[in-house]
Amino acid sequence: MHSALRPKPTIKLPPSLIPPTINHHPQPVVKRSFLKQNSLVNGNGHHSTCSAANNATIEKLYWSLGLISSKGKYLTAETFGCKINATGTSLKRKQKWMIIYNIPNDCVYLQSPLNRYLSTDKYGRLKCDMHDIDDDCRFQLEYNRDGQWALKSVTYGMYLGGDNDQLHCFSKTPEWWSPHLALHPQINLKHVLRKRYAKLEDDEIHIDEIIPWGSDAIIAVEYLNDHYCIRSSNGYYFHKDGKLSIEQTEETLFTIELHKGYITFKDCDGCYLTAIGPLGIMTTRNRTAGKDEQFLLEESKLQICLVAPNGKLVSIKQGIDLSANQYERDQSSIFQLEYDDDLQAYQIRTYDNKYWTIGGLSIQATAEKKSAETSFHIQSVGHGHVTFQASNGKFIVPHATGNMRAVSDQISLPDAYFLLKFINRPFCVFKCDFGHVGYRNKQSRVLECNKALFTLFTLEEAAEETHSEGVVYLKGSDGLYWEISNDLNISVSACEPSKFSLELCSASSRVVIKAPNGMYLRAEQSGSIQAICQNSRQATQWEF
């Protein structure tokens, strides 16, 4: 009997949200969307390249990835002379290419990290110095049974191939490349045709969310030896039959293809990922990819809960007014932070797709679009607490009735302090300007910050007695916790949790990390991470 028809048993969560995992290749953090598109933004915050304002037809889709040759080397764009080769050993900046899919012409362009386009001539000679696209830049994608890609010149009918620094486009038969998506592991998975997002539902993944909300909507897409695993928010692996598995097997591995610019996932039997039934149960079924098999991978923005000074959660449960009036967490008490680079402020979205704004002096969730009036400055005041400054220059404080009002001139007023809790990061990845946080080596428990490989950590809420202090516990996949060692480095070696706190930065949705000794973590280019900063201004800001 198919899973859509049989009763759903209750699934038991594993002891850790993240079962033991393998090492991963680097996944650069993307600022806005893994699907990079141009300026027009619709109500859901998706970026699209459109042919006309009234006819939102997407013409081009952008995917950031690396291409691995049959010799296991990455296609690389050198800074000097705009030369290309296949010598890269890992996915770093020089190995990140933008695949621009032209939907009307059903072809792709390859844009290098230097924003130059790859082209070929009739002799198969490759160049990567084009500022503008012409016919010599057009390629078509072909796929084999192993999920590898071949790039065929549209103009000359030859294939991209070669080895090391002897690359060419003069092969009459396909030469195969493996795609390695350059994305952050935490994403929201959107079904293009249904216009719905995936979420965890018991022991299945359902594609029925209009807006991805809460931790259940977090999906992890992980690269593994030319294949990909899809993991739900409880750390389980998605199985091709639609169920979840605690173990990674051949049936939990997928390859990716681009069809009409959108991504598709193909299982070991050659069937494509889709959604079936009114619940949108995710499974694999068809051996051909159509509109039912097309997906988008979108950035998972930070979602938070706020505890007011009266100990109650801020929510919109009572209507359009924000009020601190409930103890139970639900969708109405979860808010999404969207940093606006132009306004240098946060826009705050609600579960019903409205934005915070000022109505008189009250804070209401009524705005349909982002504007200066929906902009809020968020400032950390320590111990996991923040203040909110509205567009009228006043700070938000709760009225005696619980209603949120922008009336205070003083940032130091305790009534303006709200405890901020991150909701949709059941597992997390930390990255700074020097690289990802990971173990020094396979034998060491010490963390360093210049790793090409990322490591997943579990974010646990603190016990009730430390609730008001903004304390969190950070745990490795083996169940051991972060702690400070004698030399002030950070290691993952404690059996009991240590009290860390994450403080939101005023810009770009980054965080600083405060250690149990009261000091903030600082990263060095050498890789060291130490709890040595007395104030947050000197601390490292982490992508999170």
Side-chain angles (χ1 to χ4, degrees):
M1 183 181 296
H2 195 275
S3 60
L5 303 176
R6 62 175 179 260
K8 300 182 180 64
T10 301
I11 187 169
K12 294 183 179 180
L13 298 183
S16 170
L17 289 178
I18 303 298
T21 58
I22 57 159
N23 286 334
H24 302 277
H25 288 274
Q27 308 277 6
V29 175
V30 182
K31 295 292 185 183
R32 289 191 176 84
S33 176
F34 304 129
L35 178 66
K36 178 187 173 185
Q37 300 174 330
N38 288 342
S39 56
L40 187 62
V41 180
N42 65 23
N44 290 330
H46 308 136
H47 298 257
S48 303
T49 302
C50 301
S51 58
N54 295 326
N55 182 21
T57 302
I58 298 178
E59 293 183 338
K60 294 179 182 177
L61 299 179
Y62 297 69
W63 295 92
S64 180
L65 52 79
L67 292 170
I68 308 171
S69 71
S70 59
K71 301 291 186 181
K73 301 296 185 180
Y74 285 83
L75 183 65
T76 301
E78 299 294 349
T79 304
F80 180 75
C82 296
K83 295 181 179 180
I84 61 170
N85 56 58
T87 60
T89 57
S90 61
L91 183 57
K92 296 183 180 180
R93 182 181 179 275
K94 291 182 180 180
Q95 290 75 37
K96 284 177 54 181
W97 293 78
M98 192 67 70
I99 300 294
I100 305 173
Y101 202 108
N102 186 313
I103 295 178
N105 296 331
D106 197 25
C107 68
V108 299
Y109 314 116
L110 276 73
Q111 187 181 44
S112 77
L114 302 175
N115 296 323
R116 309 292 179 91
Y117 293 96
L118 183 68
S119 65
T120 183
D121 61 18
K122 62 182 179 180
Y123 301 108
R125 293 176 298 201
L126 293 169
K127 295 191 301 182
C128 196
D129 58 0
M130 304 279 290
H131 288 281
D132 300 309
I133 297 172
D134 65 12
D135 288 345
D136 288 349
C137 300
R138 295 193 300 162
F139 294 86
Q140 284 184 331
L141 292 175
E142 297 180 7
Y143 311 101
N144 66 12
R145 294 179 60 184
D146 297 325
Q148 296 172 312
W149 297 6
L151 294 108
K152 182 179 181 180
S153 170
V154 174
T155 304
Y156 303 108
M158 298 296 183
Y159 292 91
L160 175 67
D163 192 17
N164 294 326
D165 57 355
Q166 302 297 320
L167 299 183
H168 57 78
C169 191
F170 207 65
S171 297
K172 294 183 179 180
T173 57
E175 295 199 25
W176 300 106
W177 301 79
S178 298
H180 181 174
L181 289 173
L183 53 79
H184 192 283
Q186 296 159 315
I187 58 104
N188 297 130
L189 182 65
K190 183 181 182 182
H191 191 278
V192 175
L193 184 62
R194 291 178 178 244
K195 299 180 180 179
R196 295 293 187 271
Y197 292 87
K199 71 171 182 179
L200 175 66
E201 191 73 33
D202 294 329
D203 64 339
E204 297 176 329
I205 295 179
H206 292 186
I207 301 179
D208 59 357
E209 285 262 279
I210 298 177
I211 303 173
W213 214 249
S215 62
D216 287 348
I218 292 290
I219 300 292
V221 176
E222 301 179 10
Y223 179 77
L224 172 60
N225 298 331
D226 300 342
H227 292 76
Y228 292 85
C229 297
I230 300 172
R231 299 177 71 176
S232 58
S233 59
N234 61 4
Y236 278 74
Y237 294 92
F238 175 78
H239 192 282
K240 66 183 182 67
D241 67 0
K243 290 300 181 181
L244 298 175
S245 170
I246 194 171
E247 296 181 352
Q248 183 269 308
T249 64
E250 185 180 359
E251 287 75 24
T252 64
L253 295 177
F254 300 85
T255 58
I256 60 170
E257 299 174 359
L258 296 182
H259 287 266
K260 297 299 180 182
Y262 298 101
I263 199 167
T264 62
F265 294 88
K266 187 166 65 174
D267 68 17
C268 58
D269 294 329
C271 297
Y272 290 90
L273 189 66
T274 188
I276 62 173
L279 298 178
I281 298 173
M282 199 165 82
T283 186
T284 59
R285 184 168 61 174
N286 299 324
R287 292 185 176 272
T288 58
K291 292 184 177 180
D292 273 325
E293 289 72 36
Q294 296 174 350
F295 290 88
L296 295 178
L297 310 181
E298 296 186 353
E299 176 192 7
S300 173
K301 294 182 171 62
L302 288 177
Q303 293 178 353
I304 62 170
C305 279
L306 296 168
V307 181
N310 63 4
K312 296 182 180 180
L313 290 166
V314 178
S315 76
I316 53 169
K317 192 170 186 177
Q318 304 299 321
I320 61 174
D321 292 319
L322 272 83
S323 179
N325 56 12
Q326 68 183 75
Y327 290 105
E328 295 296 326
R329 182 190 302 170
D330 60 16
Q331 287 191 332
S332 68
S333 61
I334 299 175
F335 305 101
Q336 180 166 287
L337 301 181
E338 301 175 7
Y339 188 77
D340 191 309
D341 289 314
D342 295 328
L343 296 172
Q344 296 186 349
Y346 285 94
Q347 313 284 338
I348 306 174
R349 189 195 295 264
T350 65
Y351 79 101
D352 58 356
N353 211 24
K354 298 294 194 297
Y355 287 97
W356 288 20
T357 188
I358 296 183
L361 295 176
S362 297
I363 306 300
Q364 299 179 332
T366 58
E368 300 281 348
K369 297 179 180 180
K370 298 178 182 180
S371 66
E373 287 70 31
T374 64
S375 300
F376 293 83
H377 294 281
I378 304 177
Q379 182 171 335
S380 175
V381 292
H383 300 290
H385 289 73
V386 296
T387 61
F388 293 84
Q389 187 178 25
S391 58
N392 65 355
K394 305 290 186 180
F395 292 94
I396 297 177
V397 295
H399 189 264
T401 60
N403 286 354
M404 299 294 109
R405 294 166 58 84
V407 295
S408 176
D409 292 313
Q410 300 180 32
I411 191 174
S412 59
L413 193 67
D415 285 346
Y417 294 176
F418 295 83
L419 176 64
L420 184 149
K421 302 178 71 174
F422 296 102
I423 298 303
N424 65 336
R425 290 295 184 265
F427 45 83
C428 51
V429 172
F430 294 102
K431 182 178 181 293
C432 67
D433 294 337
F434 309 125
H436 293 92
V437 173
Y439 296 106
R440 177 176 292 171
N441 54 54
K442 292 182 179 180
Q443 290 74 39
S444 176
R445 308 301 302 173
V446 176
L447 295 180
E448 292 187 335
C449 65
N450 58 355
K451 299 302 177 182
L453 311 179
F454 68 77
T455 301
L456 292 173
F457 300 99
T458 301
L459 182 67
E460 292 184 349
E461 290 188 9
E464 191 65 32
E465 58 268 18
T466 56
H467 173 81
S468 62
E469 300 176 17
V471 170
V472 298
Y473 304 139
L474 295 164
K475 185 168 65 174
S477 60
D478 55 2
L480 297 179
Y481 291 89
W482 285 29
E483 67 175 352
I484 305 176
S485 58
N486 292 334
D487 55 3
L488 299 181
N489 287 322
I490 304 301
S491 65
V492 187
S493 54
C495 296
E496 297 296 328
S498 296
K499 297 180 180 179
F500 287 82
S501 63
L502 306 180
E503 298 181 4
L504 184 71
C505 298
S506 58
S508 302
S509 297
R510 294 191 177 198
V511 297
V512 294
I513 304 174
K514 193 172 186 179
N517 65 352
M519 300 292 184
Y520 292 89
L521 300 192
R522 182 172 180 174
E524 300 291 347
Q525 191 169 0
S526 62
S528 69
I529 307 173
Q530 291 186 305
I532 57 174
C533 292
Q534 292 186 352
N535 60 68
S536 59
R537 292 189 300 274
Q538 300 170 335
T540 296
Q541 297 183 1
W542 304 90
E543 294 181 12
F544 166 60

